[in-house]
Amino acid sequence: MRSFRPTRRTFLKTGTAAAALIGMSPALLREARAQDADLALYRSAKIDWQQASGETLTVAVIPASYFENLITLAPQFKALTGIDLRFEKIPPAQIRQKCVIDLTSKTGTYSTHAADPMYYSLYAANKWVEPLDTYLKDKSLTDEAWFKFDDIIPAWRSADSVDGKLYGVPYDGEVTIQVYRKDLYDAKGLKPADTLEAYVANAAALNNPNDRIWGCALRGVAGAGQNMYIYPSIFREFGGEWMKGGKLTVNGSEAEAALAWYVDVMRKYAPAAAANWNWPDIADAFSQGTVANYIDAHSSASVVNNPEKSKVIGKVGYARWPKGPSGKRVTSIWNWGFPINAAQSDKRKKATWLFIQWATSAETQARTAHRFAGPTKRSGVNRASIWKDPEYVKLMNGFGANFVEATMQALEHDTDVDWRPRVPQWPAIGDTMATAIQSALSGQATVKAALDDAQRRIEPMMRG
């Protein structure tokens, strides 16, 4: 443990605080002491949390429970730093576009926002956000021993970096795993699939539309975060390389094999409507007992275990992504991270960094997860240490058999930083790929024709 000698400034601050307590009513005194206790762990960091006091930050987030939990702690942040927080909730479909417009216009409306990891290449190429390494290494802004940056899930840190420079700090994230009906598997003597081949065999064994049970479901609706959430994992598992020979390549033999597998399993064993389903539709169908297995974000476990809606509680099991022909398991690098908007004053940038450090710290992560007083507990905490905390593990294991083990193994071994091509042109490329995949899933184009057409459309984008 590091020793800490009080400086004249901290002595004066302490003395002033003590003097201020004189004359308080007992109720106010108790409240002040409770607040000091709340903030004690933050104040143990060897930085001046009040150095940007008086600033107001606007933070753009999506309307999700993991951010709602954080918003409830904003008064604690204000008491700690003197910085006001104003949260603006923007639906996922709009937040990327709205924040890019803000960054492009350099108005600095949002000090930080929940950022898609695929956008950092675009942000960095245009210098819209600050490289964060200097903030991490500045001892006046960051107590490295307290913050423990290396405790944050490594693949998510890498996903929020470009050419070795950090541009965002992960707040909440996910990995993709199998979610299956353990009771149905046990009844047929099946095991969760270890390979894509076994996945198809399980889906075939359980598929029984006459009894309204389908063997599997995967996201099918077109979108960079929809069918292009699932397909990249399959592509990489079939040995696909996005930057083949330094050139962005989306067609070829590995791509055709991957997309053919995706189309085949969806047509044979998924409900026909799944071609237009996003993850909530799949989780709802699984909750109602009509789907035997799906592969999607581990965070959907909270939906299939909702006691007000689910009919399958107590019957759910989890496993890692099945291996592909390349021998690899590949899950996403998805996380919502916080960058610093470069179009701000230096003082506001410091204030933004203090917010990011506070929000992504182990203490705030715990307070918004298993130690959160409200009903919703987070399953996407950013800290490896919390994933090993017995209290957190006990809570998460309530989602079903093997949940924590499958998720941890996926986080530690299966996450692929090159899951999708990390280039500044990604937003347009993602949309183009999503359209191509949908055309193959719907039968409007052959697999080869869809991918060759996507390649032709993407090449001009890469030429600028």
Side-chain angles (χ1 to χ4, degrees):
M1 181 180 292
R2 293 170 59 181
S3 61
F4 176 59
R5 295 182 178 178
T7 62
R8 181 175 179 274
R9 182 176 61 182
T10 56
F11 175 80
L12 288 172
K13 283 170 62 180
T14 306
T16 302
L21 294 175
I22 298 172
M24 277 187 174
S25 69
L28 286 175
L29 192 57
R30 283 195 298 274
E31 184 178 337
R33 285 173 175 163
Q35 186 179 77
D36 280 346
D38 274 346
L39 302 181
L41 280 166
Y42 296 101
R43 287 174 174 156
S44 67
K46 308 302 185 292
I47 59 171
D48 176 10
W49 286 101
Q50 291 276 333
Q51 60 188 288
S53 178
E55 290 291 335
T56 298
L57 307 179
T58 299
V59 181
V61 297
I62 65 167
S65 60
Y66 39 83
F67 286 125
E68 297 289 352
N69 292 8
L70 182 69
I71 291 169
T72 66
L73 301 186
Q76 289 185 9
F77 180 73
K78 172 68 183 295
L80 177 69
T81 64
I83 299 167
D84 278 305
L85 294 177
R86 175 182 171 274
F87 287 92
E88 185 172 326
K89 288 180 256 186
I90 306 171
Q94 284 89 46
I95 192 169
R96 298 168 181 82
Q97 182 183 18
K98 201 163 184 178
C99 290
V100 165
I101 291 172
D102 179 49
L103 293 170
T104 306
S105 64
K106 300 186 186 302
T107 53
T109 300
Y110 303 117
S111 296
T112 185
H113 66 277
D116 182 329
M118 296 309 303
Y119 277 55
Y120 284 115
S121 295
L122 175 66
Y123 293 175
N126 290 285
K127 299 182 179 178
W128 290 337
V129 297
E130 293 277 298
L132 299 183
D133 301 273
T134 51
Y135 293 82
L136 266 175
K137 293 174 183 173
D138 186 336
K139 293 185 184 305
S140 71
L141 287 169
T142 309
D143 181 345
E144 291 183 60
W146 180 85
F147 187 46
K148 295 182 175 63
F149 179 67
D150 290 346
D151 185 35
I152 296 175
I153 304 296
W156 293 349
R157 285 188 273 130
S158 297
D160 293 2
S161 302
V162 179
D163 297 330
K165 286 186 178 179
L166 181 74
Y167 286 93
V169 182
Y171 168 76
D172 191 282
E174 63 190 34
V175 289
T176 323
I177 59 175
Q178 292 182 69
V179 185
Y180 67 96
R181 281 282 300 279
K182 191 172 183 306
D183 58 326
L184 298 181
Y185 275 53
D186 289 346
K188 293 227 172 201
L190 301 175
K191 294 181 179 177
D194 194 50
T195 65
L196 290 179
E197 187 177 16
Y199 186 80
V200 173
N202 283 349
L206 294 165
N207 196 53
N208 187 0
N210 290 333
D211 285 342
R212 293 194 56 74
I213 294 180
W214 282 265
C216 68
L218 302 171
R219 295 187 195 187
V221 67
Q226 314 305 333
N227 54 14
M228 271 302 281
Y229 180 86
I230 294 296
Y231 172 74
S233 293
I234 305 169
F235 172 71
R236 295 283 290 156
E237 291 199 342
F238 271 83
E241 297 287 343
W242 296 113
M243 301 302 293
K244 191 177 284 185
K247 176 187 174 185
L248 181 61
T249 304
V250 301
N251 61 352
S253 58
E254 296 92 353
E256 288 174 23
L259 186 51
W261 183 91
Y262 187 14
V263 169
D264 191 59
V265 77
M266 286 286 280
R267 285 187 185 167
K268 288 181 177 174
Y269 308 120
N276 291 307
W277 280 1
N278 193 2
W279 75 266
D281 308 301
I282 297 171
D284 285 344
F286 184 88
S287 296
Q288 297 309 303
T290 60
V291 170
N293 179 303
Y294 69 96
I295 299 176
D296 213 298
H298 80 287
S299 52
S300 65
S302 62
V303 176
V304 302
N305 281 284
N306 183 339
E308 295 181 359
K309 296 180 179 178
S310 179
K311 299 177 180 177
V312 299
I313 293 175
K315 302 174 181 177
V316 186
Y318 305 88
R320 294 159 71 183
W321 245 110
K323 289 182 219 169
S326 68
K328 291 193 297 188
R329 305 175 200 271
V330 178
T331 182
S332 74
I333 54 172
W334 186 261
N335 70 84
W336 288 115
F338 286 126
I340 294 179
N341 190 330
Q344 300 184 98
S345 67
D346 287 345
K347 186 180 179 185
R348 189 163 293 176
K349 288 176 187 174
K350 287 182 179 179
T352 306
W353 174 252
L354 292 174
F355 163 74
I356 293 171
Q357 187 177 185
W358 169 79
T360 62
S361 68
E363 182 60 21
T364 301
Q365 290 285 307
R367 291 185 187 200
T368 53
H370 53 298
R371 287 164 47 197
F372 184 65
T376 308
K377 316 297 182 185
R378 293 174 52 207
S379 63
V381 294
N382 70 2
R383 297 277 172 164
S385 59
I386 294 179
W387 275 103
K388 296 171 184 171
D389 183 318
E391 187 183 350
Y392 186 70
V393 169
K394 181 180 178 182
L395 182 71
M396 292 295 105
N397 274 334
F399 285 143
N402 204 39
F403 179 74
V404 171
E405 185 178 351
T407 302
M408 274 308 294
Q409 287 178 335
L411 282 172
E412 292 177 347
H413 304 294
D414 304 344
T415 309
D416 183 353
V417 173
D418 293 319
W419 173 59
R420 291 191 290 198
R422 299 195 296 164
V423 294
Q425 298 88 342
W426 165 253
I429 290 170
D431 290 342
T432 301
M433 283 297 299
T435 302
I437 291 165
Q438 187 183 47
S439 68
L441 284 172
S442 65
Q444 294 177 326
T446 65
V447 163
K448 186 176 189 311
L451 292 169
D452 287 348
D453 184 57
Q455 184 70 34
R456 279 193 295 274
R457 291 173 183 271
I458 287 169
E459 285 179 359
M461 300 175 193
M462 296 303 292
R463 290 197 291 269

